[in-house]
Amino acid sequence: MRFGTKAIHAGVEPDPTTGAIMTPIYQTSTYVQESPGKHKGYEYSRTHNPTRTALQKALAALENGQHGICYASGLAATDAVLKLFRPGDEIISTNDLYGGTYRIMKRVFEPFGQVFHFVDMSDTANIERVISDKTKMIWVETPTNPLLRIIDIEAVAKLARDRGIMCVVDNTFATPYLQNPLDMGADIVMHSVTKYLGGHSDTVMGALVLNDSDLAQQLAFIQNASGAVPGPQDCFLVLRGLKTLHIRMQRHCENAGRIAQWLLDHPKVGKVYYPGLPSHSGHELAARQMRGFGGMVSFELKGDVYEEAVRVMESLTVFSLGESLGGVESLCTHPASMTHASIPAVERLKGGLKDTLIRLSVGIEDVEDLIADLENAIG
């Protein structure tokens, strides 16, 4: 079954009671049991909910995985993975990553004794240098946020597998439409479902997809025991969003490619970060690893003047200034003060994130209007 067909049909069946083609919103907290402990697979909605079950099956199918587990947010999904490890365990992560991931690692789990190393994963030798007998996981994010570096998933997964280390890939920017990390050897795929999978900026959710049944059982236990589960209304909204994922991603990629090239040619733009540009350091790898280059574009103006970057962001009208990404509408974000503010300035600069960087989540509007908006703002 091809991707577009899976996006519409995977995990979803007509309601057996009414024949409704859309999965019902099972807005219930509990379920009547025939006898103590004898039920129809559902007893309490923190543990299981039919709407959530349908979504988890759909997400697993899209990532070519066996098990999908949904959480109340992307960070709740990350939290569940980190709870697999113990004090003294070491985790290696990319040094260019979502600020919330950095925050939960450094400020929540590090005080409990976990040890984190943040390295430039564009060269796997940097990973090998910090691996020790205490290393338990490698956390990959590709394309990275917000500098859109490309990490070789297959190479990192092999490195991890050869040493008995877990490999987890945050696939939020690419989505399963553009790449499938499990097929490249990753153990777990993480999504901030809030973004492209939901696609309409109307829900907050996270998900993990994997093949290992024992590991899935551990993560499902954490999901239930910790209670960070999404409600059935949100699951319904994401199920609806998935049905157009392939069409939306096509347009996101087309628009982002046009805008990246336009920015590259603009005399006031200093640097453009987009893996679809041949000048991008990870372009060849992205072309091999991905089926498209995504809808995210970051750029810096010439001169690196902070006030000028702020002026541009404040002047945009079609692009809305706000956090998040992946919705049908275009967003502009200032990572240093918004999505990545929790990363200390010295660490941001060390990783290449300047205070003047502007990140665009390119939506599915008419690209001519988006370019006109940027032209008016940049001047």
Side-chain angles (χ1 to χ4, degrees), residues 85-376:
F85 306 104
R86 297 294 175 261
D89 289 347
E90 298 190 5
I91 293 163
I92 303 171
S93 172
T94 179
N95 66 343
D96 178 32
L97 78 167
Y98 169 50
T101 307
Y102 179 93
R103 179 179 59 224
I104 196 172
M105 288 177 172
K106 292 290 289 183
R107 298 184 62 181
V108 177
F109 282 90
E110 190 172 77
F112 287 113
Q114 291 184 12
V115 178
F116 297 92
H117 304 279
F118 298 90
V119 303
D120 179 359
M121 289 189 179
S122 56
D123 184 351
T124 55
N126 295 330
I127 303 174
E128 292 188 84
R129 276 193 283 269
V130 293
I131 288 179
S132 73
D133 57 2
K134 295 181 179 179
T135 304
K136 303 298 181 183
M137 179 178 73
I138 301 175
W139 182 277
V140 177
E141 184 182 290
T142 183
T144 62
N145 182 4
L147 296 175
L148 299 165
R149 293 175 177 141
I150 304 298
I151 297 168
D152 190 331
I153 296 172
E154 190 171 350
V156 176
K158 183 180 185 305
L159 177 66
R161 185 170 56 253
D162 290 346
R163 290 161 175 76
I165 299 168
M166 185 182 297
C167 176
V168 181
V169 177
D170 182 339
N171 201 28
T172 299
F173 272 25
T175 82
Y177 178 74
L178 297 180
Q179 67 185 16
N180 300 108
L182 295 181
D183 293 347
M184 292 180 257
D187 296 295
I188 301 175
V189 175
M190 195 285 288
H191 282 282
S192 176
V193 177
T194 308
K195 312 306 192 297
Y196 288 107
L197 299 184
H200 293 79
S201 304
D202 55 9
T203 187
V204 174
M205 193 186 301
L208 303 173
V209 179
L210 64 162
N211 285 316
D212 187 296
S213 296
D214 291 336
L215 186 55
Q217 193 170 17
Q218 292 180 58
L219 290 165
F221 172 82
I222 293 170
Q223 178 200 46
N224 181 52
S226 297
V229 296
Q233 173 78 26
D234 286 336
C235 292
F236 173 85
L237 290 172
V238 175
L239 278 167
R240 183 183 66 173
L242 290 181
K243 292 179 184 296
T244 58
L245 176 62
H246 54 304
I247 297 173
R248 289 186 286 106
M249 288 306 299
Q250 289 171 11
R251 185 63 171 263
H252 285 301
C253 292
E254 290 170 6
N255 283 359
R258 289 273 302 276
I259 286 173
Q261 186 60 55
W262 182 86
L263 287 168
L264 189 68
D265 295 337
H266 197 286
K268 292 187 179 180
V269 174
K271 189 165 186 179
V272 182
Y273 302 85
Y274 185 66
L277 295 173
S279 57
H280 188 282
S281 60
H283 175 71
E284 290 185 9
L285 174 58
R288 294 198 312 271
Q289 182 167 277
M290 302 170 70
R291 294 181 286 271
F293 300 108
M296 302 299 297
V297 180
S298 295
F299 71 99
E300 298 159 3
L301 298 170
K302 286 181 179 176
D304 282 331
V305 179
Y306 175 75
E307 290 76 15
E308 182 63 10
V310 171
R311 184 198 66 76
V312 168
M313 288 183 278
E314 290 178 345
S315 300
L316 292 166
T317 57
V318 181
F319 281 89
S320 297
L321 182 62
E323 300 204 20
S324 199
L325 59 103
V328 293
E329 64 287 313
S330 293
L331 292 177
C332 170
T333 297
H334 180 238
S337 66
M338 298 167 74
T339 56
H340 292 66
S342 57
I343 302 177
V346 63
E347 293 299 323
R348 292 199 304 266
L349 290 171
K350 192 186 300 182
L353 171 51
K354 298 180 180 179
D355 287 351
T356 51
L357 185 83
I358 299 170
R359 190 192 75 184
L360 302 178
S361 173
V362 181
I364 65 172
E365 302 96 336
D366 290 310
V367 71
E368 292 81 6
D369 292 327
L370 296 176
I371 290 174
D373 191 34
L374 287 164
E375 189 167 24
N376 178 67

